[in-house]
Structures are given as structure tokens and as C-alpha cells.
Amino acid sequence: FLPHLVASMEEVEETYIMVKPDGVQRGLVGEIISRFEKKGFLLKGLKLFQCPKDLAEEHYKDLKGKSFFPKLIDYITSGPVVCMAWEGVGVVASARKLIGATNPLQAEPGTIRGDLAVQTGRNVVHGSDSPDNGKREIDLWFKEGEVVQWTQAQAPWLRE
Ligand code: IDP
Ligand code: MG
């Protein structure tokens, strides 16, 4: 029994979720927000935003060497995105599960990409891949005051 590991599993995390331009253009914003809302996570930040090129490049800086990088930057800046900050215990990994595999054809039915998309280059949603990146990306996409600390009325009905 490793109490420090159990404690870390209970840690409250934050993740950056974004409806990409194809999701906005296809009218999937409500559907995508709804999946995280119904699951029981806490929405702390939400805005419609036209992403400038430098921000897209900073967000995806780890992929800078990839052949698809220029197309990825064009895609993300091609129209408005919906930026979200979500909080919860285990929210980072859980959101990645709700989103599904990067290639929508390999994403399981029931996941956002599995249900709503067909191609990697148009995979409708982003989710942070680690708690550290969750923090980094929320800081990158939201200004001071845009992320709100609050408690859901339903909190006692979600966690004992
Ligand atoms: P993720 O979004 O599932 O975390 P990453 O590997 O971090 O996947 O890639 C970031 C994004 O870059 C993907 O969601 C997708 O939009 C795009 N991307 C990744 N690989 C490819 C590719 O092979 N072709 C075109 N776009 C890609
Ligand atoms: Mg990623």
C-alpha cells in the first residue's frame, strides 16, 4: 500500500480543451461541451477566439519538426476556436479518453472523435496530454481573470 500514490490519484487537475475550427464550423460546440459537462467536470474558462499564428505555433511547439506542422497551423488559425479550461480529479487522462485517439478512424465509438470525425487533420477537438501541459496551455490561451474559481451546486452529488 502506497499512500502517497493514492493521494496523487486524488489530485485536482486542470486541462485545456479546445473545439478546433472544424468543430465550430460544423456546429459541434454544444455537443462537445456537453460531454465534459455531463461527465461531471468543472468548467472554469470558456471563450470563442480567433487564434493568431504565433499562439498556434507556441501551443504546438513540440510538433515543429513534423511535415504536417504548417498545415496544422493553417488549420488551427483558419476560423474561430472555442477555448475551455476544465477542472477535476483525474480530468487530464479522463478528457483524453472522452476525446479518443488522434486518428478519428481509430478512435472508439462513444468518444468525441470516434463519433464525430473521420480524419486526423480534422479531428475537431484538442485536449492537454499531461497535468503540466494542462496548466501551461491554460496560461497560454487565457488571460488573467478569464479563468473563474467557483464551486458547482452539484459537487456533493459527484464526489462523496
Ligand atoms: P493529439 O491532438 O491527439 O494530442 P498530437 O500528436 O499531439 O495529437 O497532434 C496534435 C494535432 O496535430 C492532432 O490533433 C492533429 O490535429 C494534428 N496531427 C497530428 N498528426 C498528424 C498527421 O499525421 N497529419 C495531420 N495532422 C496531424
Ligand atoms: Mg497532443
Side-chain angles (χ1 to χ4, degrees), residues 21 50-61 63-64 68-79:
Q50 175 60 54
C51 175
K53 196 172 178 209
D54 57 347
L55 177 58
E57 287 174 348
E58 177 62 24
H59 175 77
Y60 282 123
K61 65 179 179 193
L63 298 173
K64 204 151 193 172
F68 59 81
F69 187 75
K71 274 171 71 177
L72 174 60
I73 300 307
D74 285 349
Y75 165 44
I76 294 302
T77 58
S78 65

mmCIF file with all atom_site columns, all heavy atoms in Angstrom, residues 21 50-61 63-64 68-79:
data_model
loop_
_atom_site.group_PDB
_atom_site.id
_atom_site.type_symbol
_atom_site.label_atom_id
_atom_site.label_alt_id
_atom_site.label_comp_id
_atom_site.label_asym_id
_atom_site.label_entity_id
_atom_site.label_seq_id
_atom_site.pdbx_PDB_ins_code
_atom_site.Cartn_x
_atom_site.Cartn_y
_atom_site.Cartn_z
_atom_site.occupancy
_atom_site.B_iso_or_equiv
_atom_site.pdbx_formal_charge
_atom_site.auth_seq_id
_atom_site.auth_comp_id
_atom_site.auth_asym_id
_atom_site.auth_atom_id
_atom_site.pdbx_PDB_model_num
ATOM 1   N N   . PRO A 1 21 ? -11.358 24.670 -35.280 1.00 0.00 ? 21 PRO A N   1
ATOM 2   C CA  . PRO A 1 21 ? -12.216 25.390 -36.237 1.00 0.00 ? 21 PRO A CA  1
ATOM 3   C C   . PRO A 1 21 ? -13.238 24.505 -36.956 1.00 0.00 ? 21 PRO A C   1
ATOM 4   O O   . PRO A 1 21 ? -14.359 24.960 -37.225 1.00 0.00 ? 21 PRO A O   1
ATOM 5   C CB  . PRO A 1 21 ? -11.202 25.980 -37.224 1.00 0.00 ? 21 PRO A CB  1
ATOM 6   C CG  . PRO A 1 21 ? -9.992  26.221 -36.386 1.00 0.00 ? 21 PRO A CG  1
ATOM 7   C CD  . PRO A 1 21 ? -9.931  25.028 -35.459 1.00 0.00 ? 21 PRO A CD  1
ATOM 8   N N   . GLN A 1 50 ? -10.385 33.854 -32.082 1.00 0.00 ? 50 GLN A N   1
ATOM 9   C CA  . GLN A 1 50 ? -9.633  33.679 -33.338 1.00 0.00 ? 50 GLN A CA  1
ATOM 10  C C   . GLN A 1 50 ? -8.151  33.607 -32.978 1.00 0.00 ? 50 GLN A C   1
ATOM 11  O O   . GLN A 1 50 ? -7.565  34.587 -32.528 1.00 0.00 ? 50 GLN A O   1
ATOM 12  C CB  . GLN A 1 50 ? -9.922  34.849 -34.291 1.00 0.00 ? 50 GLN A CB  1
ATOM 13  C CG  . GLN A 1 50 ? -9.088  34.816 -35.564 1.00 0.00 ? 50 GLN A CG  1
ATOM 14  C CD  . GLN A 1 50 ? -9.310  33.554 -36.401 1.00 0.00 ? 50 GLN A CD  1
ATOM 15  O OE1 . GLN A 1 50 ? -10.436 33.212 -36.745 1.00 0.00 ? 50 GLN A OE1 1
ATOM 16  N NE2 . GLN A 1 50 ? -8.234  32.836 -36.721 1.00 0.00 ? 50 GLN A NE2 1
ATOM 17  N N   . CYS A 1 51 ? -7.563  32.436 -33.173 1.00 0.00 ? 51 CYS A N   1
ATOM 18  C CA  . CYS A 1 51 ? -6.180  32.206 -32.747 1.00 0.00 ? 51 CYS A CA  1
ATOM 19  C C   . CYS A 1 51 ? -5.185  32.825 -33.726 1.00 0.00 ? 51 CYS A C   1
ATOM 20  O O   . CYS A 1 51 ? -5.214  32.520 -34.917 1.00 0.00 ? 51 CYS A O   1
ATOM 21  C CB  . CYS A 1 51 ? -5.954  30.692 -32.655 1.00 0.00 ? 51 CYS A CB  1
ATOM 22  S SG  . CYS A 1 51 ? -4.255  30.244 -32.289 1.00 0.00 ? 51 CYS A SG  1
ATOM 23  N N   . PRO A 1 52 ? -4.272  33.688 -33.233 1.00 0.00 ? 52 PRO A N   1
ATOM 24  C CA  . PRO A 1 52 ? -3.211  34.201 -34.103 1.00 0.00 ? 52 PRO A CA  1
ATOM 25  C C   . PRO A 1 52 ? -2.141  33.131 -34.349 1.00 0.00 ? 52 PRO A C   1
ATOM 26  O O   . PRO A 1 52 ? -2.001  32.186 -33.563 1.00 0.00 ? 52 PRO A O   1
ATOM 27  C CB  . PRO A 1 52 ? -2.645  35.383 -33.315 1.00 0.00 ? 52 PRO A CB  1
ATOM 28  C CG  . PRO A 1 52 ? -2.966  35.101 -31.894 1.00 0.00 ? 52 PRO A CG  1
ATOM 29  C CD  . PRO A 1 52 ? -4.183  34.219 -31.866 1.00 0.00 ? 52 PRO A CD  1
ATOM 30  N N   . LYS A 1 53 ? -1.386  33.306 -35.433 1.00 0.00 ? 53 LYS A N   1
ATOM 31  C CA  . LYS A 1 53 ? -0.406  32.302 -35.865 1.00 0.00 ? 53 LYS A CA  1
ATOM 32  C C   . LYS A 1 53 ? 0.653   32.016 -34.782 1.00 0.00 ? 53 LYS A C   1
ATOM 33  O O   . LYS A 1 53 ? 1.001   30.863 -34.532 1.00 0.00 ? 53 LYS A O   1
ATOM 34  C CB  . LYS A 1 53 ? 0.266   32.790 -37.152 1.00 0.00 ? 53 LYS A CB  1
ATOM 35  C CG  . LYS A 1 53 ? 1.003   31.704 -37.882 1.00 0.00 ? 53 LYS A CG  1
ATOM 36  C CD  . LYS A 1 53 ? 1.499   32.153 -39.256 1.00 0.00 ? 53 LYS A CD  1
ATOM 37  C CE  . LYS A 1 53 ? 2.280   31.005 -39.885 1.00 0.00 ? 53 LYS A CE  1
ATOM 38  N NZ  . LYS A 1 53 ? 3.320   31.417 -40.788 1.00 0.00 ? 53 LYS A NZ  1
ATOM 39  N N   . ASP A 1 54 ? 1.143   33.077 -34.129 1.00 0.00 ? 54 ASP A N   1
ATOM 40  C CA  . ASP A 1 54 ? 2.224   32.869 -33.148 1.00 0.00 ? 54 ASP A CA  1
ATOM 41  C C   . ASP A 1 54 ? 1.750   32.037 -31.952 1.00 0.00 ? 54 ASP A C   1
ATOM 42  O O   . ASP A 1 54 ? 2.505   31.219 -31.418 1.00 0.00 ? 54 ASP A O   1
ATOM 43  C CB  . ASP A 1 54 ? 2.850   34.206 -32.701 1.00 0.00 ? 54 ASP A CB  1
ATOM 44  C CG  . ASP A 1 54 ? 1.847   35.182 -32.114 1.00 0.00 ? 54 ASP A CG  1
ATOM 45  O OD1 . ASP A 1 54 ? 0.622   34.963 -32.263 1.00 0.00 ? 54 ASP A OD1 1
ATOM 46  O OD2 . ASP A 1 54 ? 2.289   36.176 -31.507 1.00 0.00 ? 54 ASP A OD2 1
ATOM 47  N N   . LEU A 1 55 ? 0.489   32.219 -31.565 1.00 0.00 ? 55 LEU A N   1
ATOM 48  C CA  . LEU A 1 55 ? -0.050  31.427 -30.456 1.00 0.00 ? 55 LEU A CA  1
ATOM 49  C C   . LEU A 1 55 ? -0.206  29.954 -30.869 1.00 0.00 ? 55 LEU A C   1
ATOM 50  O O   . LEU A 1 55 ? 0.134   29.037 -30.091 1.00 0.00 ? 55 LEU A O   1
ATOM 51  C CB  . LEU A 1 55 ? -1.397  32.003 -29.987 1.00 0.00 ? 55 LEU A CB  1
ATOM 52  C CG  . LEU A 1 55 ? -2.118  31.237 -28.881 1.00 0.00 ? 55 LEU A CG  1
ATOM 53  C CD1 . LEU A 1 55 ? -1.266  31.112 -27.625 1.00 0.00 ? 55 LEU A CD1 1
ATOM 54  C CD2 . LEU A 1 55 ? -3.458  31.904 -28.550 1.00 0.00 ? 55 LEU A CD2 1
ATOM 55  N N   . ALA A 1 56 ? -0.685  29.733 -32.084 1.00 0.00 ? 56 ALA A N   1
ATOM 56  C CA  . ALA A 1 56 ? -0.820  28.350 -32.592 1.00 0.00 ? 56 ALA A CA  1
ATOM 57  C C   . ALA A 1 56 ? 0.555   27.667 -32.607 1.00 0.00 ? 56 ALA A C   1
ATOM 58  O O   . ALA A 1 56 ? 0.687   26.505 -32.204 1.00 0.00 ? 56 ALA A O   1
ATOM 59  C CB  . ALA A 1 56 ? -1.430  28.370 -33.988 1.00 0.00 ? 56 ALA A CB  1
ATOM 60  N N   . GLU A 1 57 ? 1.564   28.401 -33.043 1.00 0.00 ? 57 GLU A N   1
ATOM 61  C CA  . GLU A 1 57 ? 2.924   27.832 -33.111 1.00 0.00 ? 57 GLU A CA  1
ATOM 62  C C   . GLU A 1 57 ? 3.479   27.537 -31.718 1.00 0.00 ? 57 GLU A C   1
ATOM 63  O O   . GLU A 1 57 ? 4.138   26.515 -31.512 1.00 0.00 ? 57 GLU A O   1
ATOM 64  C CB  . GLU A 1 57 ? 3.850   28.784 -33.870 1.00 0.00 ? 57 GLU A CB  1
ATOM 65  C CG  . GLU A 1 57 ? 3.573   28.784 -35.359 1.00 0.00 ? 57 GLU A CG  1
ATOM 66  C CD  . GLU A 1 57 ? 4.358   29.825 -36.148 1.00 0.00 ? 57 GLU A CD  1
ATOM 67  O OE1 . GLU A 1 57 ? 4.969   30.728 -35.525 1.00 0.00 ? 57 GLU A OE1 1
ATOM 68  O OE2 . GLU A 1 57 ? 4.349   29.737 -37.382 1.00 0.00 ? 57 GLU A OE2 1
ATOM 69  N N   . GLU A 1 58 ? 3.194   28.396 -30.762 1.00 0.00 ? 58 GLU A N   1
ATOM 70  C CA  . GLU A 1 58 ? 3.638   28.175 -29.385 1.00 0.00 ? 58 GLU A CA  1
ATOM 71  C C   . GLU A 1 58 ? 2.911   26.963 -28.776 1.00 0.00 ? 58 GLU A C   1
ATOM 72  O O   . GLU A 1 58 ? 3.527   26.113 -28.133 1.00 0.00 ? 58 GLU A O   1
ATOM 73  C CB  . GLU A 1 58 ? 3.400   29.448 -28.546 1.00 0.00 ? 58 GLU A CB  1
ATOM 74  C CG  . GLU A 1 58 ? 3.759   29.347 -27.069 1.00 0.00 ? 58 GLU A CG  1
ATOM 75  C CD  . GLU A 1 58 ? 5.234   29.060 -26.795 1.00 0.00 ? 58 GLU A CD  1
ATOM 76  O OE1 . GLU A 1 58 ? 6.079   29.372 -27.674 1.00 0.00 ? 58 GLU A OE1 1
ATOM 77  O OE2 . GLU A 1 58 ? 5.534   28.528 -25.714 1.00 0.00 ? 58 GLU A OE2 1
ATOM 78  N N   . HIS A 1 59 ? 1.603   26.893 -29.007 1.00 0.00 ? 59 HIS A N   1
ATOM 79  C CA  . HIS A 1 59 ? 0.805   25.780 -28.472 1.00 0.00 ? 59 HIS A CA  1
ATOM 80  C C   . HIS A 1 59 ? 1.319   24.429 -28.989 1.00 0.00 ? 59 HIS A C   1
ATOM 81  O O   . HIS A 1 59 ? 1.395   23.466 -28.228 1.00 0.00 ? 59 HIS A O   1
ATOM 82  C CB  . HIS A 1 59 ? -0.661  25.974 -28.874 1.00 0.00 ? 59 HIS A CB  1
ATOM 83  C CG  . HIS A 1 59 ? -1.562  24.844 -28.501 1.00 0.00 ? 59 HIS A CG  1
ATOM 84  N ND1 . HIS A 1 59 ? -2.024  24.649 -27.211 1.00 0.00 ? 59 HIS A ND1 1
ATOM 85  C CD2 . HIS A 1 59 ? -2.081  23.818 -29.232 1.00 0.00 ? 59 HIS A CD2 1
ATOM 86  C CE1 . HIS A 1 59 ? -2.790  23.569 -27.179 1.00 0.00 ? 59 HIS A CE1 1
ATOM 87  N NE2 . HIS A 1 59 ? -2.838  23.048 -28.385 1.00 0.00 ? 59 HIS A NE2 1
ATOM 88  N N   . TYR A 1 60 ? 1.644   24.382 -30.283 1.00 0.00 ? 60 TYR A N   1
ATOM 89  C CA  . TYR A 1 60 ? 2.077   23.127 -30.902 1.00 0.00 ? 60 TYR A CA  1
ATOM 90  C C   . TYR A 1 60 ? 3.594   23.058 -31.104 1.00 0.00 ? 60 TYR A C   1
ATOM 91  O O   . TYR A 1 60 ? 4.071   22.348 -31.990 1.00 0.00 ? 60 TYR A O   1
ATOM 92  C CB  . TYR A 1 60 ? 1.357   22.924 -32.242 1.00 0.00 ? 60 TYR A CB  1
ATOM 93  C CG  . TYR A 1 60 ? -0.076  22.437 -32.098 1.00 0.00 ? 60 TYR A CG  1
ATOM 94  C CD1 . TYR A 1 60 ? -1.137  23.150 -32.652 1.00 0.00 ? 60 TYR A CD1 1
ATOM 95  C CD2 . TYR A 1 60 ? -0.372  21.246 -31.428 1.00 0.00 ? 60 TYR A CD2 1
ATOM 96  C CE1 . TYR A 1 60 ? -2.457  22.687 -32.533 1.00 0.00 ? 60 TYR A CE1 1
ATOM 97  C CE2 . TYR A 1 60 ? -1.680  20.783 -31.291 1.00 0.00 ? 60 TYR A CE2 1
ATOM 98  C CZ  . TYR A 1 60 ? -2.716  21.508 -31.857 1.00 0.00 ? 60 TYR A CZ  1
ATOM 99  O OH  . TYR A 1 60 ? -3.998  21.043 -31.734 1.00 0.00 ? 60 TYR A OH  1
ATOM 100 N N   . LYS A 1 61 ? 4.363   23.769 -30.250 1.00 0.00 ? 61 LYS A N   1
ATOM 101 C CA  . LYS A 1 61 ? 5.822   23.874 -30.479 1.00 0.00 ? 61 LYS A CA  1
ATOM 102 C C   . LYS A 1 61 ? 6.538   22.516 -30.498 1.00 0.00 ? 61 LYS A C   1
ATOM 103 O O   . LYS A 1 61 ? 7.529   22.360 -31.209 1.00 0.00 ? 61 LYS A O   1
ATOM 104 C CB  . LYS A 1 61 ? 6.472   24.822 -29.456 1.00 0.00 ? 61 LYS A CB  1
ATOM 105 C CG  . LYS A 1 61 ? 6.419   24.338 -28.020 1.00 0.00 ? 61 LYS A CG  1
ATOM 106 C CD  . LYS A 1 61 ? 7.100   25.327 -27.089 1.00 0.00 ? 61 LYS A CD  1
ATOM 107 C CE  . LYS A 1 61 ? 7.025   24.831 -25.661 1.00 0.00 ? 61 LYS A CE  1
ATOM 108 N NZ  . LYS A 1 61 ? 7.385   25.852 -24.685 1.00 0.00 ? 61 LYS A NZ  1
ATOM 109 N N   . LEU A 1 63 ? 5.652   19.952 -31.965 1.00 0.00 ? 63 LEU A N   1
ATOM 110 C CA  . LEU A 1 63 ? 5.442   19.305 -33.273 1.00 0.00 ? 63 LEU A CA  1
ATOM 111 C C   . LEU A 1 63 ? 6.103   20.081 -34.404 1.00 0.00 ? 63 LEU A C   1
ATOM 112 O O   . LEU A 1 63 ? 5.898   19.777 -35.584 1.00 0.00 ? 63 LEU A O   1
ATOM 113 C CB  . LEU A 1 63 ? 3.927   19.171 -33.545 1.00 0.00 ? 63 LEU A CB  1
ATOM 114 C CG  . LEU A 1 63 ? 3.157   18.304 -32.538 1.00 0.00 ? 63 LEU A CG  1
ATOM 115 C CD1 . LEU A 1 63 ? 1.662   18.376 -32.807 1.00 0.00 ? 63 LEU A CD1 1
ATOM 116 C CD2 . LEU A 1 63 ? 3.629   16.860 -32.580 1.00 0.00 ? 63 LEU A CD2 1
ATOM 117 N N   . LYS A 1 64 ? 6.923   21.076 -34.027 1.00 0.00 ? 64 LYS A N   1
ATOM 118 C CA  . LYS A 1 64 ? 7.512   21.995 -35.010 1.00 0.00 ? 64 LYS A CA  1
ATOM 119 C C   . LYS A 1 64 ? 8.279   21.283 -36.137 1.00 0.00 ? 64 LYS A C   1
ATOM 120 O O   . LYS A 1 64 ? 8.237   21.723 -37.283 1.00 0.00 ? 64 LYS A O   1
ATOM 121 C CB  . LYS A 1 64 ? 8.445   23.002 -34.316 1.00 0.00 ? 64 LYS A CB  1
ATOM 122 C CG  . LYS A 1 64 ? 8.626   24.266 -35.101 1.00 0.00 ? 64 LYS A CG  1
ATOM 123 C CD  . LYS A 1 64 ? 8.911   25.460 -34.199 1.00 0.00 ? 64 LYS A CD  1
ATOM 124 C CE  . LYS A 1 64 ? 8.761   26.760 -34.989 1.00 0.00 ? 64 LYS A CE  1
ATOM 125 N NZ  . LYS A 1 64 ? 8.828   27.943 -34.149 1.00 0.00 ? 64 LYS A NZ  1
ATOM 126 N N   . PHE A 1 68 ? 3.641   17.856 -41.176 1.00 0.00 ? 68 PHE A N   1
ATOM 127 C CA  . PHE A 1 68 ? 2.287   18.416 -41.212 1.00 0.00 ? 68 PHE A CA  1
ATOM 128 C C   . PHE A 1 68 ? 2.162   19.728 -40.420 1.00 0.00 ? 68 PHE A C   1
ATOM 129 O O   . PHE A 1 68 ? 1.092   20.315 -40.374 1.00 0.00 ? 68 PHE A O   1
ATOM 130 C CB  . PHE A 1 68 ? 1.263   17.388 -40.706 1.00 0.00 ? 68 PHE A CB  1
ATOM 131 C CG  . PHE A 1 68 ? 1.505   16.904 -39.293 1.00 0.00 ? 68 PHE A CG  1
ATOM 132 C CD1 . PHE A 1 68 ? 1.103   17.647 -38.193 1.00 0.00 ? 68 PHE A CD1 1
ATOM 133 C CD2 . PHE A 1 68 ? 2.152   15.686 -39.062 1.00 0.00 ? 68 PHE A CD2 1
ATOM 134 C CE1 . PHE A 1 68 ? 1.326   17.206 -36.888 1.00 0.00 ? 68 PHE A CE1 1
ATOM 135 C CE2 . PHE A 1 68 ? 2.383   15.231 -37.767 1.00 0.00 ? 68 PHE A CE2 1
ATOM 136 C CZ  . PHE A 1 68 ? 1.965   16.004 -36.672 1.00 0.00 ? 68 PHE A CZ  1
ATOM 137 N N   . PHE A 1 69 ? 3.283   20.181 -39.789 1.00 0.00 ? 69 PHE A N   1
ATOM 138 C CA  . PHE A 1 69 ? 3.205   21.363 -38.913 1.00 0.00 ? 69 PHE A CA  1
ATOM 139 C C   . PHE A 1 69 ? 2.597   22.606 -39.612 1.00 0.00 ? 69 PHE A C   1
ATOM 140 O O   . PHE A 1 69 ? 1.677   23.223 -39.060 1.00 0.00 ? 69 PHE A O   1
ATOM 141 C CB  . PHE A 1 69 ? 4.580   21.674 -38.318 1.00 0.00 ? 69 PHE A CB  1
ATOM 142 C CG  . PHE A 1 69 ? 4.567   22.765 -37.288 1.00 0.00 ? 69 PHE A CG  1
ATOM 143 C CD1 . PHE A 1 69 ? 4.073   22.547 -36.003 1.00 0.00 ? 69 PHE A CD1 1
ATOM 144 C CD2 . PHE A 1 69 ? 5.038   24.039 -37.602 1.00 0.00 ? 69 PHE A CD2 1
ATOM 145 C CE1 . PHE A 1 69 ? 4.061   23.563 -35.054 1.00 0.00 ? 69 PHE A CE1 1
ATOM 146 C CE2 . PHE A 1 69 ? 5.023   25.063 -36.658 1.00 0.00 ? 69 PHE A CE2 1
ATOM 147 C CZ  . PHE A 1 69 ? 4.538   24.823 -35.384 1.00 0.00 ? 69 PHE A CZ  1
ATOM 148 N N   . PRO A 1 70 ? 3.068   22.985 -40.825 1.00 0.00 ? 70 PRO A N   1
ATOM 149 C CA  . PRO A 1 70 ? 2.480   24.185 -41.465 1.00 0.00 ? 70 PRO A CA  1
ATOM 150 C C   . PRO A 1 70 ? 0.977   24.034 -41.698 1.00 0.00 ? 70 PRO A C   1
ATOM 151 O O   . PRO A 1 70 ? 0.220   24.991 -41.463 1.00 0.00 ? 70 PRO A O   1
ATOM 152 C CB  . PRO A 1 70 ? 3.245   24.284 -42.795 1.00 0.00 ? 70 PRO A CB  1
ATOM 153 C CG  . PRO A 1 70 ? 4.520   23.546 -42.564 1.00 0.00 ? 70 PRO A CG  1
ATOM 154 C CD  . PRO A 1 70 ? 4.178   22.424 -41.626 1.00 0.00 ? 70 PRO A CD  1
ATOM 155 N N   . LYS A 1 71 ? 0.544   22.845 -42.123 1.00 0.00 ? 71 LYS A N   1
ATOM 156 C CA  . LYS A 1 71 ? -0.894  22.627 -42.335 1.00 0.00 ? 71 LYS A CA  1
ATOM 157 C C   . LYS A 1 71 ? -1.672  22.669 -41.023 1.00 0.00 ? 71 LYS A C   1
ATOM 158 O O   . LYS A 1 71 ? -2.809  23.150 -40.968 1.00 0.00 ? 71 LYS A O   1
ATOM 159 C CB  . LYS A 1 71 ? -1.135  21.274 -43.031 1.00 0.00 ? 71 LYS A CB  1
ATOM 160 C CG  . LYS A 1 71 ? -1.037  21.382 -44.559 1.00 0.00 ? 71 LYS A CG  1
ATOM 161 C CD  . LYS A 1 71 ? -1.063  20.026 -45.246 1.00 0.00 ? 71 LYS A CD  1
ATOM 162 C CE  . LYS A 1 71 ? -2.420  19.350 -45.195 1.00 0.00 ? 71 LYS A CE  1
ATOM 163 N NZ  . LYS A 1 71 ? -2.400  18.059 -45.947 1.00 0.00 ? 71 LYS A NZ  1
ATOM 164 N N   . LEU A 1 72 ? -1.045  22.170 -39.965 1.00 0.00 ? 72 LEU A N   1
ATOM 165 C CA  . LEU A 1 72 ? -1.676  22.193 -38.645 1.00 0.00 ? 72 LEU A CA  1
ATOM 166 C C   . LEU A 1 72 ? -1.901  23.645 -38.183 1.00 0.00 ? 72 LEU A C   1
ATOM 167 O O   . LEU A 1 72 ? -2.980  23.973 -37.668 1.00 0.00 ? 72 LEU A O   1
ATOM 168 C CB  . LEU A 1 72 ? -0.796  21.426 -37.639 1.00 0.00 ? 72 LEU A CB  1
ATOM 169 C CG  . LEU A 1 72 ? -1.205  21.459 -36.165 1.00 0.00 ? 72 LEU A CG  1
ATOM 170 C CD1 . LEU A 1 72 ? -2.603  20.879 -35.944 1.00 0.00 ? 72 LEU A CD1 1
ATOM 171 C CD2 . LEU A 1 72 ? -0.185  20.679 -35.311 1.00 0.00 ? 72 LEU A CD2 1
ATOM 172 N N   . ILE A 1 73 ? -0.909  24.493 -38.404 1.00 0.00 ? 73 ILE A N   1
ATOM 173 C CA  . ILE A 1 73 ? -1.035  25.907 -38.006 1.00 0.00 ? 73 ILE A CA  1
ATOM 174 C C   . ILE A 1 73 ? -2.114  26.595 -38.848 1.00 0.00 ? 73 ILE A C   1
ATOM 175 O O   . ILE A 1 73 ? -2.939  27.356 -38.321 1.00 0.00 ? 73 ILE A O   1
ATOM 176 C CB  . ILE A 1 73 ? 0.333   26.638 -38.122 1.00 0.00 ? 73 ILE A CB  1
ATOM 177 C CG1 . ILE A 1 73 ? 1.380   25.970 -37.210 1.00 0.00 ? 73 ILE A CG1 1
ATOM 178 C CG2 . ILE A 1 73 ? 0.195   28.129 -37.801 1.00 0.00 ? 73 ILE A CG2 1
ATOM 179 C CD1 . ILE A 1 73 ? 0.982   25.788 -35.745 1.00 0.00 ? 73 ILE A CD1 1
ATOM 180 N N   . ASP A 1 74 ? -2.153  26.307 -40.164 1.00 0.00 ? 74 ASP A N   1
ATOM 181 C CA  . ASP A 1 74 ? -3.211  26.856 -41.034 1.00 0.00 ? 74 ASP A CA  1
ATOM 182 C C   . ASP A 1 74 ? -4.595  26.423 -40.539 1.00 0.00 ? 74 ASP A C   1
ATOM 183 O O   . ASP A 1 74 ? -5.538  27.214 -40.512 1.00 0.00 ? 74 ASP A O   1
ATOM 184 C CB  . ASP A 1 74 ? -3.033  26.371 -42.485 1.00 0.00 ? 74 ASP A CB  1
ATOM 185 C CG  . ASP A 1 74 ? -1.883  27.078 -43.188 1.00 0.00 ? 74 ASP A CG  1
ATOM 186 O OD1 . ASP A 1 74 ? -1.359  28.078 -42.630 1.00 0.00 ? 74 ASP A OD1 1
ATOM 187 O OD2 . ASP A 1 74 ? -1.504  26.627 -44.283 1.00 0.00 ? 74 ASP A OD2 1
ATOM 188 N N   . TYR A 1 75 ? -4.693  25.145 -40.183 1.00 0.00 ? 75 TYR A N   1
ATOM 189 C CA  . TYR A 1 75 ? -5.968  24.570 -39.702 1.00 0.00 ? 75 TYR A CA  1
ATOM 190 C C   . TYR A 1 75 ? -6.445  25.273 -38.431 1.00 0.00 ? 75 TYR A C   1
ATOM 191 O O   . TYR A 1 75 ? -7.585  25.760 -38.360 1.00 0.00 ? 75 TYR A O   1
ATOM 192 C CB  . TYR A 1 75 ? -5.737  23.072 -39.489 1.00 0.00 ? 75 TYR A CB  1
ATOM 193 C CG  . TYR A 1 75 ? -6.741  22.277 -38.687 1.00 0.00 ? 75 TYR A CG  1
ATOM 194 C CD1 . TYR A 1 75 ? -8.120  22.435 -38.856 1.00 0.00 ? 75 TYR A CD1 1
ATOM 195 C CD2 . TYR A 1 75 ? -6.297  21.300 -37.776 1.00 0.00 ? 75 TYR A CD2 1
ATOM 196 C CE1 . TYR A 1 75 ? -9.015  21.662 -38.137 1.00 0.00 ? 75 TYR A CE1 1
ATOM 197 C CE2 . TYR A 1 75 ? -7.187  20.515 -37.070 1.00 0.00 ? 75 TYR A CE2 1
ATOM 198 C CZ  . TYR A 1 75 ? -8.554  20.702 -37.235 1.00 0.00 ? 75 TYR A CZ  1
ATOM 199 O OH  . TYR A 1 75 ? -9.428  19.932 -36.516 1.00 0.00 ? 75 TYR A OH  1
ATOM 200 N N   . ILE A 1 76 ? -5.562  25.385 -37.460 1.00 0.00 ? 76 ILE A N   1
ATOM 201 C CA  . ILE A 1 76 ? -5.961  25.928 -36.156 1.00 0.00 ? 76 ILE A CA  1
ATOM 202 C C   . ILE A 1 76 ? -6.295  27.424 -36.235 1.00 0.00 ? 76 ILE A C   1
ATOM 203 O O   . ILE A 1 76 ? -7.094  27.935 -35.452 1.00 0.00 ? 76 ILE A O   1
ATOM 204 C CB  . ILE A 1 76 ? -4.855  25.635 -35.093 1.00 0.00 ? 76 ILE A CB  1
ATOM 205 C CG1 . ILE A 1 76 ? -4.734  24.126 -34.843 1.00 0.00 ? 76 ILE A CG1 1
ATOM 206 C CG2 . ILE A 1 76 ? -5.115  26.377 -33.778 1.00 0.00 ? 76 ILE A CG2 1
ATOM 207 C CD1 . ILE A 1 76 ? -6.019  23.426 -34.366 1.00 0.00 ? 76 ILE A CD1 1
ATOM 208 N N   . THR A 1 77 ? -5.683  28.118 -37.208 1.00 0.00 ? 77 THR A N   1
ATOM 209 C CA  . THR A 1 77 ? -5.932  29.563 -37.352 1.00 0.00 ? 77 THR A CA  1
ATOM 210 C C   . THR A 1 77 ? -6.978  29.859 -38.436 1.00 0.00 ? 77 THR A C   1
ATOM 211 O O   . THR A 1 77 ? -7.228  31.025 -38.748 1.00 0.00 ? 77 THR A O   1
ATOM 212 C CB  . THR A 1 77 ? -4.628  30.312 -37.697 1.00 0.00 ? 77 THR A CB  1
ATOM 213 O OG1 . THR A 1 77 ? -4.081  29.775 -38.910 1.00 0.00 ? 77 THR A OG1 1
ATOM 214 C CG2 . THR A 1 77 ? -3.593  30.170 -36.583 1.00 0.00 ? 77 THR A CG2 1
ATOM 215 N N   . SER A 1 78 ? -7.610  28.820 -39.004 1.00 0.00 ? 78 SER A N   1
ATOM 216 C CA  . SER A 1 78 ? -8.499  29.008 -40.162 1.00 0.00 ? 78 SER A CA  1
ATOM 217 C C   . SER A 1 78 ? -9.874  29.564 -39.808 1.00 0.00 ? 78 SER A C   1
ATOM 218 O O   . SER A 1 78 ? -10.648 29.914 -40.696 1.00 0.00 ? 78 SER A O   1
ATOM 219 C CB  . SER A 1 78 ? -8.669  27.676 -40.898 1.00 0.00 ? 78 SER A CB  1
ATOM 220 O OG  . SER A 1 78 ? -9.335  26.736 -40.064 1.00 0.00 ? 78 SER A OG  1
ATOM 221 N N   . GLY A 1 79 ? -10.204 29.626 -38.537 1.00 0.00 ? 79 GLY A N   1
ATOM 222 C CA  . GLY A 1 79 ? -11.506 30.134 -38.094 1.00 0.00 ? 79 GLY A CA  1
ATOM 223 C C   . GLY A 1 79 ? -11.524 30.113 -36.584 1.00 0.00 ? 79 GLY A C   1
ATOM 224 O O   . GLY A 1 79 ? -10.558 29.668 -35.959 1.00 0.00 ? 79 GLY A O   1
#
